[in-house]
Each structure stands twice: as structure tokens, then as C-alpha cells.
Amino acid sequence: MTNYAKSNSVEEYLKLIESPKKTVKIPVIASINCMTAAEWVAFARDIEKAGADALELNIFFMALQKEMSSEKIEKLYYELVSRIREVTPIPLAVKVGLQFTNLTAVVNNLYVRGARGVVLFNRFYEPDIDIENLSLTSSDVFSSPSDIRQSLRWVGIISDKVEKIDIAASTGVHDGKAVIKQILAGASVVQICSVLYRKGEGQVRVILDELTAWMKKKGLNSLEEFRGKLSYSHIPDPSVYERSQFMKYFSSHH
Ligand SMILES: Cc1cc2nc3c(=O)[nH]c(=O)nc-3n(C[C@H](O)[C@H](O)[C@H](O)COP(=O)(O)O)c2cc1C
């Protein structure tokens, strides 16, 4: 997956799509960081012409205005998907962050407007504070394996509640075990980033080998045989996915 930041030149980005299309057999998915519909609609068509097999829209609006309702912000997501859907027939995925009051409804609305995939979740640059120098700094740019939790919950829930949309699980996937968990929760695919920065591209092979060894041990021949086996509606007590307060845990452990 190639990625476009606004500062890059458009031509350069289109070349990034064209050249792997000539040399590799796997699908090439373009990814753009979106702010407003207007600036990206024409570009989406160019991306399709450059040969991209699909397009991921990484949408995030930093909501700073106190007069702005969440409904209005969500509409910006929907408008973007609808407008880009009108100009290109290639499959669209939307990469979102975790902060929605009703994520299930938002994902459903994205599906209704033509998104065929959703990436759960993007991970953003987060600030930290240096209390010695009294200045703002950056917190850890890379995820850690424990960051898989939020995504795991929502992959498990959304894969059942909005069953027609494909889910790419993202954030905190650092090894084969995490891939297995996300597929069991209902993910169609899994994305990795931090682990590649930290340990290099060789991790793809390591992760695939771990997945394959586990499947062999369990007598599984394809991902389909276990995809979604532990999603929201496939477990005896779905409330495990819903549970968010620790109260019950502590009361039973005292
Ligand atoms: C250095 C760095 C740069 C990133 N740049 C982008 C970007 O331009 N667009 C995007 O959609 N996600 C970007 N991400 C987010 C990753 O694609 C990914 O969603 C996130 O890091 C969570 O996955 P991980 O836990 O495997 O790292 C970036 C992440 C890192 C660490």
C-alpha cells in the first residue's frame, strides 16, 4: 500500500502506483489522507488511471470548533465517500480512528455510501509533555502489541453488525498471534506498520510462518475455516465484547 501526504507531488505519487503495477502480481492499493472532498475527487480518478486496484481513504478531521456537532463531522466522511464513489469504480476502503460515539452506525453509513472496506483503526501522532523542559513533545510514534485491544473489540463487533463490509484490522499487530486473533474476530485482512519500522520487512515472512504453523497445528487449510469464528455473534456470551467497565472484574477478584 502506497501512501500520499499532501506535501508530495501528485505526479510522484502516481508513479508510485504505476511502477509496482508493472512488476508485481499482487493488487496495489493506493492510500490518500483526506481532509475535504473537493481536493481529492479529481485525484481519485488519476489514481484509478495509474492502475490502482483499490483506494483507501484515510479520513480524519480534528474537531476543534465548539459549535460543530458530531453529526456534521460524520457527514463530511459520508460526503467524501459518496463523491469519490461517483468518480471512480475501483473498490473504496475508509481508514478511520476510534473516536466515534456510534462506530457501528458510522461504518454502516460508509457502507451504504459505497465503501466496501473499513480499516480499524488508524493510529495518530499523539502529543506528550516534557515536564523538565516544559515543552510539548511526541509520544511513542510506534504501536506496541498491547495496542491490539481496541481494534480487536471493534473488529469482533463490526464484522457481525455490518457484515457486508470487509474489515482490515490495523494497530498493534506485531506477530502471527495477533493476525490469528484478528481473523478469528472477523477481519478479512490485517495491516502492519510499526513492526516493519522496528524489525524490518523480514517480519512479513516471520508472521506468515507463525500463522501457517498455527493453522497446521489446528488442522485448518484456509483462512475461511476460522474467519469470524470468535466474532460477536459466534461466541456463547457476546457481552464479553461489550464489557467496558472494570467494576465486575474487581468485585470478583477481591
Ligand atoms: C511513521 C508512521 C507514518 C504513518 N503515516 C501514515 C499515513 O501517511 N497515512 C496513514 O493512513 N497512516 C499512516 N500511519 C499509520 C499506520 O498506517 C497504521 O495505521 C498505524 O501505525 C497502526 O498500525 P501499527 O500498529 O501496525 O503501526 C503511519 C504510522 C507510522 C508509524
Side-chain angles (χ1 to χ4, degrees):
M1 187 174 296
T2 48
N3 202 291
Y4 180 86
K6 212 176 164 189
S7 53
N8 292 71
S9 92
V10 170
E11 311 306 317
E12 230 170 80
Y13 184 69
L14 295 176
K15 275 190 206 134
L16 258 179
I17 299 169
E18 281 163 10
S19 62
K21 275 307 288 179
K22 287 180 196 140
T23 51
V24 298
K25 290 201 173 76
I26 56 172
V28 173
I29 304 173
S31 172
I32 52 179
N33 295 344
C34 299
M35 297 297 278
T36 63
E39 57 185 316
W40 292 116
V41 170
F43 188 40
R45 208 177 287 139
D46 292 337
I47 284 173
E48 176 205 330
K49 279 191 205 132
D53 296 288
L55 175 58
E56 176 193 82
L57 310 171
N58 166 17
I59 314 178
F60 180 66
F61 303 104
M62 180 57 83
L64 299 172
Q65 298 131 294
K66 58 185 177 186
E67 303 82 11
M68 180 78 112
S69 72
S70 20
E71 198 181 0
K72 259 194 177 162
I73 294 171
E74 284 162 13
K75 272 195 181 149
L76 297 172
Y77 283 72
Y78 307 151
E79 187 188 290
L80 236 160
V81 172
S82 299
R83 300 260 327 261
I84 295 186
R85 180 70 297 156
E86 279 168 19
V87 299
T88 171
I90 61 173
L92 293 183
V94 183
K95 185 173 181 179
V96 294
L98 175 63
Q99 281 90 359
F100 290 98
T101 307
N102 186 351
L103 181 70
T104 313
V106 169
V107 173
N108 189 51
N109 275 312
L110 294 171
Y111 175 75
V112 167
R113 282 158 183 84
R116 287 297 166 260
V118 66
V119 185
L120 307 177
F121 295 102
N122 201 352
R123 182 170 185 273
F124 303 104
Y125 174 95
E126 306 282 1
D128 199 356
I129 286 181
D130 178 338
I131 60 168
E132 289 311 319
N133 295 311
L134 298 184
S135 61
L136 259 289
T137 58
S138 159
S139 65
D140 203 352
V141 172
F142 300 123
S143 69
S144 67
S146 62
D147 290 330
I148 190 183
R149 292 170 293 190
Q150 295 277 22
S151 161
L152 197 59
R153 160 179 279 164
W154 286 106
V155 169
I157 294 173
I158 302 282
S159 64
D160 276 325
K161 301 273 183 196
V162 195
E163 55 192 334
K164 286 188 181 153
I165 204 159
D166 286 332
I167 301 177
S170 169
T171 298
V173 176
H174 286 234
D175 54 22
K177 284 183 198 67
V179 174
I180 295 161
K181 289 178 191 182
Q182 291 288 17
I183 305 284
L184 281 168
S188 299
V189 295
V190 169
Q191 296 187 358
I192 52 172
C193 176
S194 293
V195 72
L196 295 178
Y197 273 102
R198 281 216 157 114
K199 297 185 179 168
E201 293 158 22
Q203 284 309 298
V204 173
R205 186 74 267 155
V206 174
I207 289 173
L208 286 174
D209 286 349
E210 199 181 347
L211 169 66
T212 314
W214 178 85
M215 287 173 64
K216 206 170 163 197
K217 195 173 81 185
K218 297 283 177 195
L220 298 161
N221 298 309
S222 72
L223 297 179
E224 287 321 313
E225 285 175 42
F226 67 101
R227 194 190 311 284
K229 269 263 159 75
L230 295 179
S231 68
Y232 184 82
S233 63
H234 289 97
I235 53 172
D237 178 13
S239 70
V240 181
Y241 273 115
E242 294 168 24
R243 194 174 298 157
S244 49
Q245 308 281 18
F246 280 117
M247 243 133 73
K248 205 168 161 187
Y249 176 85
F250 283 117
S251 58
S252 62
H253 281 74
H254 276 172

